[in-house]
Amino acid sequence: MPFAKKPQVFSAKINELTLGTGDKATVLGGQNVFNLYSFDAPIANRPKIGIDVSDDPEQPSEGLKAFYAGCNTLAERAKKAAELPEADFVCIRFDLADPNGENKSIEDCVSDAKAVAEVVDKPLVVAGCKNSEKDADLFAKISEALQGKNILVLSAKEENYKGIAAGAGLAYGQKVGAESAVDINLAKQLNVLVTQMGVNGENIAMNVGSAAAGYGFEYVVSTLERVKAAALSQNDATLQMPIITPVGVETWGVKEATATETDAPEWGCQEERGIDMEVETAAACLAYGSDAVILRHPVSIQTTAQLIAALM
């Protein structure tokens, strides 16, 4: 008896979220099938890839040092990153603004963001310093300075969502990233809270949590899968926001990427290890629910783009 395949297509779909403006704008989400299930139905918008650029000039690998050689400012690095054809958007990260580190001023961060916007024509995602209080102020000021650029700020958390929703989403019309800690109920709750502030659900992206493969990653995969299943099979509007996952910031900090060849000669080339960790984690995130991943290494981005193209 011949096998008759039954496509799994849902009446519900993931919201479409547009980043940037003009010809270089990019759209996340929009599909009514599970991630990469192009054999069930055409996928409206392929998964997107962002390139992560920090204001900290230090790079985690020799390959990245070579890639950004001669780039002395965040704007110069962002411009170089945007030239990578496989990168759909640029994520600028203000690591140096951390009050427990260099405590770079918000004014300097805003100046840097404006400089980036002047030289980069691709959509921008802005990530903070992981200090909830400072990030709320930082995102509001950058959202004001880049009004009309249609940026996404990463991320609004339970501790600071009110300030970010009001300052970035409502006052200046920017897209809001809602970051929760690897739990479907927390993700849903935060989305509800942000929308109750007045932000349209179609202007929200989710970061439901991230980790490098092998580092509690099964919880990330489980959460991605459950969120996407609830959004599509249960038509849960509170979970139909596209998912964006910062992968590079996680994978380039684990021992497989940081251990030198002197310390771990049996593991082989350090550069290749970091790239492998980044690609493996990105592939899993895309397979289980992420509509976009943010990576650091050009080779990782090129490899992930080839994977997406082969599956579409």
Side-chain angles (χ1 to χ4, degrees), residues 51-71:
I51 183 165
D52 191 301
V53 187
S54 174
D55 62 344
D56 187 344
E58 292 297 318
Q59 300 297 332
S61 78
E62 293 301 319
L64 281 167
K65 290 178 183 177
F67 181 72
Y68 290 113
C71 299

Side-chain angles (χ1 to χ4, degrees), residues 97-260:
D98 186 353
N100 296 316
E102 293 199 14
N103 198 23
K104 180 178 175 179
S105 71
I106 289 178
E107 290 74 19
D108 286 344
C109 293
V110 171
S111 178
D112 280 351
K114 290 169 67 176
V116 169
E118 289 175 0
V119 297
V120 171
D121 59 358
K122 288 184 176 179
L124 292 179
V125 171
V126 178
C129 63
K130 297 184 178 181
N131 178 280
S132 297
E133 184 178 352
K134 189 167 185 177
D135 279 349
D137 292 335
L138 175 64
F139 291 148
K141 294 292 177 57
I142 290 180
S143 293
E144 179 182 13
L146 301 188
Q147 191 171 9
K149 295 290 185 180
N150 198 24
I151 67 170
L152 171 70
V153 295
L154 280 181
S155 291
K157 304 176 184 178
E158 185 178 1
E159 300 86 353
N160 63 6
Y161 75 89
K162 291 181 179 179
I164 294 174
L170 297 179
Y172 303 110
Q174 310 290 16
K175 300 300 192 293
V176 176
E179 180 180 346
S180 52
V182 200
D183 184 289
I184 185 173
N185 295 315
L186 294 177
K188 182 171 183 173
Q189 177 184 352
L190 186 56
N191 289 340
V192 170
L193 291 172
V194 175
T195 54
Q196 286 178 343
M197 288 287 298
V199 178
N200 191 315
E202 295 184 354
N203 292 329
I204 298 172
M206 291 186 286
N207 171 13
V208 301
S210 56
Y215 288 81
F217 191 65
E218 63 273 19
Y219 295 103
V220 176
V221 166
S222 174
T223 302
L224 288 169
E225 190 173 38
R226 292 180 66 198
V227 167
K228 195 66 64 157
L232 294 176
S233 64
Q234 299 174 26
N235 195 17
D236 190 337
T238 64
L239 292 171
Q240 287 173 346
M241 296 76 171
I243 299 172
I244 184 169
T245 306
V247 170
V249 71
E250 297 285 346
T251 55
W252 284 98
V254 298
K255 62 183 179 181
E256 287 83 356
T258 60
T260 66

